[in-house]
Amino acid sequence: MRTYLVTGGAGFIGSNFIHYMFNKYGDDIRIINVDKLTYAGNLENLKDIEDRKNYTFVRADITDAAAIEQIFMKNDIDVVVHFAAESHVDRSIRNPEVFVKTNVLGTLVMLNNAKASWEKADGTYPEGKKFLHVSTDEVYGSLEEDGGYFYETTPYAPHSPYSASKASSDMLVKSYMDTYKFPANITNCSNNYGPYQFPEKLIPLIINNALHGKKLPVYGDGKNVRDWLYVMDHAKAIDMVINEGKLFETYNVGGHNEKQNIEIIKIIIETLREMLPDSDPRKAAITEDLITYVEDRKGHDRRYAIAPDKIKSEIGWEPETMFKDGIKLTIKWYFEHEDWMKNVTSGDYMNYYSQMYSV
Ligand code: NAD
Ligand code: TYD
């Protein structure tokens, strides 16, 4: 039975990944989830699987080398799936330190402990051990509006403290592969959307604000482009790279789904209006009049777009969920989980929101 150590499994993509894995493999795998439970980590995301015999949660900080060492000493880990990170660009602009600590130092601690636990006396590694480092397309910088894509060979050119810290963590993983032949893969994925995403990110923020009749803040001219991928398609890609990815390789993962932010906001308004019954009092208030242009993000990357050719040709993965379907699934999930939204937007979130937005 394969044992996975998932870091950051109580966050957005990590919790979707854990659901994906138990749905697919049932009792044939074991998952240990290590998470510090920052503002972005929420055990509610895993309520339905928390009692499984083949699941264990450990609350720990990935920068705490002694705590991580204990986990490796007590368990025979086969695969590390490393999601844990500070993940929000706007927060990184306000407070870069924690991004460097968690994303760079935390990744180093994970690498060192996996290496110490797996490396044999002759410097080789047993068959089947793998460190899957989950990264972002933002490490490649920004593309022009009128062309080009991010390939695995595109030089790194991060702009925000978030993307700089992720780029640094990728470089550390690359250095371990090159120096120690450490068995790893890196995946660089485009923007995800779906259930359990914290409402600091564009899509859940717009859904939540619209449902409360609040202004919909769009940065700058609203024409920045992101390449949106449904989170379960990302989970599937990670599982496939674990199973079939060639060691030491990087794979770009993307949705073939470029959209301007303003288009996303208009699609959400239209979809909410389609899905809400006429009898729902919220429906009348959800119109494009809520859209409000606000000050642009500092250093705002103009366009991201992934070329997922390598993962398609080598591994056979491609995005499956059309945006029009994925956004309906996402909105339906938020409709059905109003309490989840209420819990995560109480307290600290309101302070964050009022510091970040004046609308
Ligand atoms: P998230 O912010 O929703 O979740 C991060 C999780 O990590 C939380 O559960 C948090 O508690 C945990 N965490 C944070 N600091 C920790 C620490 N020091 N020790 C232990 N746990 C800690 O993030 P997400 O959107 O799920 O992203 C997961 C990973 O995927 C990140 O590495 C991110 O860079 C990458 N990624 C995200 C996207 C996206 O669109 N969200 C796209 C590509 C790549
Ligand atoms: P975000 O979800 O923060 O992801 P990232 O910055 O990592 O791509 O933002 C997606 C895009 O939406 C980005 O171009 C910034 C923009 N945006 C807004 O226009 N308004 C908002 O309130 C937020 C959170 C983001």
Side-chain angles (χ1 to χ4, degrees), residues 47-90:
K47 206 90 219 107
D48 50 333
I49 58 99
E50 69 183 7
D51 293 330
R52 293 188 74 102
K53 283 200 201 69
N54 53 344
Y55 171 76
T56 311
F57 174 68
V58 181
R59 185 170 190 179
D61 187 326
I62 55 162
T63 66
D64 179 347
I68 300 302
E69 185 185 16
Q70 280 298 309
I71 299 173
F72 277 94
M73 274 166 50
K74 287 187 188 148
N75 301 280
D76 183 12
I77 306 292
D78 297 300
V79 178
V80 174
V81 194
H82 181 38
F83 293 99
E86 288 291 335
S87 68
H88 191 40
V89 173
D90 292 320

Coordinates of all heavy atoms in Angstrom, one line a residue, residues 47-90:
K47 N -14.1 17.1 6.2 CA -15.0 16.6 7.2 C -15.4 15.1 6.8 O -15.5 14.2 7.6 CB -16.2 17.5 7.3 CG -17.0 17.6 8.4 CD -16.8 18.5 9.6 CE -17.1 18.0 10.9 NZ -15.9 17.8 11.7
D48 N -15.7 15.0 5.5 CA -16.3 13.7 5.1 C -15.3 12.6 5.0 O -15.7 11.4 4.8 CB -17.0 13.9 3.7 CG -16.2 14.6 2.7 OD1 -15.3 15.4 3.1 OD2 -16.4 14.4 1.5
I49 N -14.0 12.9 5.1 CA -13.0 11.8 5.0 C -12.2 11.6 6.3 O -11.4 10.7 6.4 CB -12.1 11.9 3.8 CG1 -11.3 13.3 3.9 CG2 -12.8 11.8 2.5 CD1 -10.0 13.1 4.4
E50 N -12.5 12.5 7.3 CA -11.6 12.6 8.4 C -11.6 11.3 9.3 O -10.6 11.0 10.0 CB -11.9 13.8 9.3 CG -13.2 13.7 10.1 CD -13.5 15.0 10.9 OE1 -12.8 16.0 10.8 OE2 -14.5 14.9 11.6
D51 N -12.7 10.5 9.2 CA -12.7 9.3 10.0 C -12.2 8.0 9.3 O -12.2 6.9 9.8 CB -14.2 9.0 10.5 CG -14.7 10.1 11.4 OD1 -13.8 10.6 12.2 OD2 -15.9 10.4 11.4
R52 N -11.7 8.2 8.1 CA -11.2 7.0 7.4 C -10.0 6.4 8.1 O -9.2 7.2 8.6 CB -10.7 7.4 6.0 CG -11.8 7.9 5.0 CD -11.2 8.1 3.7 NE -10.9 6.8 3.1 CZ -11.6 6.2 2.1 NH1 -12.7 6.8 1.6 NH2 -11.3 5.0 1.7
K53 N -9.9 5.1 8.1 CA -8.8 4.5 8.8 C -7.4 4.7 8.1 O -6.4 4.7 8.7 CB -9.0 2.9 8.8 CG -10.0 2.5 9.9 CD -9.8 1.0 10.2 CE -11.0 0.4 10.8 NZ -12.2 0.3 9.9
N54 N -7.5 5.0 6.8 CA -6.3 5.2 6.0 C -6.0 6.7 5.8 O -5.3 7.1 4.8 CB -6.4 4.5 4.6 CG -7.6 4.9 3.8 OD1 -8.6 5.4 4.4 ND2 -7.6 4.6 2.5
Y55 N -6.5 7.5 6.7 CA -6.2 9.0 6.7 C -5.7 9.5 8.1 O -6.4 9.1 9.1 CB -7.4 9.7 6.3 CG -7.3 11.2 6.4 CD1 -6.6 12.0 5.5 CD2 -7.9 11.9 7.5 CE1 -6.4 13.4 5.6 CE2 -7.8 13.3 7.6 CZ -7.0 14.0 6.7 OH -6.9 15.4 6.8
T56 N -4.7 10.3 8.1 CA -4.2 10.8 9.4 C -3.9 12.3 9.1 O -3.3 12.7 8.1 CB -2.9 10.2 9.8 OG1 -3.0 8.8 9.7 CG2 -2.5 10.6 11.2
F57 N -4.4 13.1 10.1 CA -4.0 14.6 10.0 C -3.0 14.9 11.1 O -3.1 14.5 12.3 CB -5.3 15.4 10.3 CG -5.0 16.9 10.4 CD1 -4.5 17.6 9.3 CD2 -5.1 17.5 11.6 CE1 -4.1 18.9 9.3 CE2 -4.7 18.9 11.7 CZ -4.2 19.6 10.5
V58 N -2.0 15.6 10.7 CA -1.0 16.1 11.7 C -0.9 17.6 11.6 O -0.6 18.1 10.5 CB 0.4 15.5 11.4 CG1 1.4 16.0 12.4 CG2 0.4 14.0 11.3
R59 N -1.2 18.3 12.7 CA -1.0 19.8 12.6 C 0.4 20.1 12.9 O 1.0 19.9 14.0 CB -1.9 20.4 13.7 CG -1.9 21.9 13.5 CD -2.9 22.7 14.3 NE -2.9 24.1 13.9 CZ -3.7 25.0 14.4 NH1 -4.6 24.6 15.3 NH2 -3.7 26.2 14.0
A60 N 1.1 20.6 11.8 CA 2.5 21.0 12.0 C 2.9 22.1 10.9 O 2.2 22.2 9.9 CB 3.4 19.8 11.9
D61 N 3.9 22.8 11.3 CA 4.4 23.8 10.4 C 5.5 23.2 9.5 O 6.5 22.6 10.1 CB 5.0 25.0 11.2 CG 5.4 26.2 10.4 OD1 5.9 26.0 9.3 OD2 5.2 27.3 10.9
I62 N 5.5 23.4 8.2 CA 6.6 22.7 7.4 C 8.0 23.3 7.7 O 9.0 22.8 7.2 CB 6.2 22.7 5.9 CG1 6.0 24.1 5.4 CG2 5.1 21.7 5.6 CD1 6.0 24.2 3.9
T63 N 8.0 24.5 8.3 CA 9.3 25.0 8.6 C 9.9 24.5 9.9 O 11.0 24.8 10.3 CB 9.3 26.6 8.7 OG1 8.5 27.0 9.8 CG2 8.7 27.2 7.5
D64 N 9.1 23.7 10.6 CA 9.5 23.1 11.9 C 10.2 21.7 11.6 O 9.5 20.7 11.5 CB 8.3 22.9 12.8 CG 8.6 22.2 14.1 OD1 9.7 21.7 14.3 OD2 7.7 22.3 15.0
A65 N 11.5 21.8 11.4 CA 12.3 20.6 10.9 C 12.1 19.4 11.9 O 12.0 18.2 11.4 CB 13.8 20.9 10.8
A66 N 12.0 19.6 13.2 CA 11.9 18.5 14.1 C 10.5 17.8 13.9 O 10.4 16.6 14.0 CB 12.1 19.0 15.5
A67 N 9.5 18.6 13.8 CA 8.1 18.0 13.6 C 8.1 17.2 12.3 O 7.5 16.1 12.3 CB 7.1 19.1 13.6
I68 N 8.7 17.7 11.3 CA 8.6 17.0 10.0 C 9.5 15.7 10.0 O 9.1 14.7 9.5 CB 9.1 18.0 8.8 CG1 8.2 19.2 8.7 CG2 9.1 17.2 7.5 CD1 6.7 18.9 8.5
E69 N 10.6 15.8 10.7 CA 11.5 14.7 10.9 C 10.7 13.5 11.6 O 10.8 12.4 11.2 CB 12.7 15.0 11.7 CG 13.7 13.9 11.8 CD 14.9 14.2 12.7 OE1 14.8 15.2 13.5 OE2 15.9 13.5 12.6
Q70 N 9.9 13.9 12.6 CA 9.1 12.9 13.4 C 8.2 12.2 12.4 O 8.0 10.9 12.5 CB 8.3 13.6 14.4 CG 9.0 13.9 15.7 CD 9.5 12.7 16.4 OE1 8.8 11.7 16.6 NE2 10.8 12.7 16.7
I71 N 7.6 12.9 11.5 CA 6.6 12.3 10.6 C 7.3 11.3 9.7 O 6.8 10.1 9.5 CB 5.9 13.3 9.7 CG1 5.1 14.3 10.7 CG2 4.9 12.7 8.7 CD1 4.5 15.5 9.9
F72 N 8.5 11.6 9.2 CA 9.2 10.7 8.4 C 9.8 9.5 9.2 O 9.9 8.4 8.7 CB 10.4 11.4 7.7 CG 10.0 12.1 6.4 CD1 9.6 13.5 6.4 CD2 9.9 11.4 5.2 CE1 9.2 14.1 5.2 CE2 9.5 12.1 4.0 CZ 9.1 13.4 4.0
M73 N 10.1 9.8 10.4 CA 10.6 8.6 11.2 C 9.5 7.6 11.6 O 9.8 6.4 11.6 CB 11.3 9.2 12.5 CG 12.7 9.5 12.3 SD 13.5 10.5 13.5 CE 13.1 9.6 15.0
K74 N 8.3 8.1 11.8 CA 7.2 7.2 12.2 C 6.5 6.5 11.1 O 5.7 5.6 11.3 CB 6.2 8.0 13.0 CG 6.7 8.5 14.4 CD 5.5 9.1 15.1 CE 6.0 9.7 16.4 NZ 5.2 10.9 16.8
N75 N 6.7 7.0 9.8 CA 6.0 6.5 8.7 C 6.9 6.2 7.5 O 7.9 6.9 7.3 CB 5.0 7.5 8.2 CG 4.0 7.9 9.3 OD1 3.0 7.2 9.6 ND2 4.2 9.0 10.0
D76 N 6.6 5.1 6.8 CA 7.3 4.8 5.6 C 6.7 5.6 4.4 O 5.8 5.0 3.8 CB 7.3 3.3 5.4 CG 8.2 2.9 4.2 OD1 8.9 3.8 3.7 OD2 8.1 1.7 3.8
I77 N 7.1 6.8 4.2 CA 6.5 7.6 3.1 C 7.0 7.2 1.8 O 8.2 7.1 1.5 CB 6.8 9.1 3.4 CG1 6.5 9.6 4.8 CG2 6.1 10.0 2.3 CD1 5.1 9.6 5.2
D78 N 6.1 7.0 0.8 CA 6.5 6.7 -0.6 C 6.5 8.0 -1.4 O 7.4 8.2 -2.2 CB 5.5 5.7 -1.2 CG 5.5 4.4 -0.4 OD1 6.6 3.8 -0.4 OD2 4.5 4.0 0.1
V79 N 5.5 8.8 -1.3 CA 5.3 10.0 -2.1 C 5.0 11.2 -1.3 O 4.1 11.2 -0.5 CB 4.2 9.8 -3.2 CG1 4.0 11.0 -4.1 CG2 4.4 8.5 -4.0
V80 N 5.8 12.3 -1.5 CA 5.4 13.5 -0.9 C 4.7 14.4 -2.0 O 5.2 14.5 -3.1 CB 6.7 14.3 -0.4 CG1 6.3 15.7 0.1 CG2 7.4 13.5 0.7
V81 N 3.5 14.9 -1.6 CA 2.8 15.8 -2.5 C 2.8 17.2 -1.8 O 2.1 17.4 -0.9 CB 1.4 15.3 -2.9 CG1 0.9 16.1 -4.1 CG2 1.4 13.8 -3.1
H82 N 3.6 18.1 -2.3 CA 3.9 19.3 -1.5 C 3.1 20.5 -2.0 O 3.5 21.2 -3.0 CB 5.4 19.6 -1.6 CG 5.9 20.8 -0.9 ND1 5.4 21.2 0.3 CD2 6.8 21.7 -1.2 CE1 5.9 22.3 0.7 NE2 6.8 22.6 -0.2
F83 N 2.0 20.7 -1.4 CA 1.1 21.9 -1.7 C 1.4 23.1 -0.8 O 1.1 24.2 -1.1 CB -0.4 21.5 -1.5 CG -0.9 20.5 -2.4 CD1 -1.1 19.2 -2.1 CD2 -1.4 20.9 -3.7 CE1 -1.6 18.3 -2.9 CE2 -1.9 20.0 -4.6 CZ -2.0 18.7 -4.2
A84 N 1.8 22.8 0.5 CA 1.7 23.8 1.5 C 2.5 25.1 1.1 O 3.7 25.0 0.7 CB 2.3 23.3 2.9
A85 N 1.8 26.2 1.2 CA 2.5 27.5 0.8 C 1.6 28.6 1.2 O 0.4 28.4 1.4 CB 2.7 27.5 -0.8
E86 N 2.2 29.8 1.3 CA 1.4 31.0 1.2 C 1.1 31.2 -0.2 O 2.0 31.2 -1.1 CB 2.2 32.2 1.9 CG 2.3 32.1 3.4 CD 1.0 32.3 4.1 OE1 0.1 32.9 3.6 OE2 0.9 31.8 5.3
S87 N -0.2 31.5 -0.6 CA -0.6 31.4 -2.0 C -1.2 32.7 -2.6 O -1.5 32.7 -3.8 CB -1.5 30.2 -2.2 OG -2.8 30.5 -1.6
H88 N -1.4 33.7 -1.8 CA -2.1 34.9 -2.4 C -1.2 36.1 -2.7 O -0.6 36.6 -1.8 CB -3.2 35.3 -1.4 CG -4.2 36.3 -2.1 ND1 -4.6 36.2 -3.4 CD2 -4.8 37.4 -1.6 CE1 -5.4 37.2 -3.7 NE2 -5.5 37.9 -2.6
V89 N -1.2 36.5 -4.0 CA -0.3 37.5 -4.4 C -0.5 38.8 -3.7 O 0.5 39.5 -3.2 CB -0.5 37.8 -6.0 CG1 0.3 39.0 -6.4 CG2 -0.2 36.5 -6.8
D90 N -1.7 39.2 -3.4 CA -2.0 40.5 -2.8 C -1.4 40.5 -1.3 O -0.9 41.5 -0.9 CB -3.5 40.9 -2.7 CG -4.0 41.1 -4.1 OD1 -3.3 41.8 -4.9 OD2 -5.1 40.7 -4.4

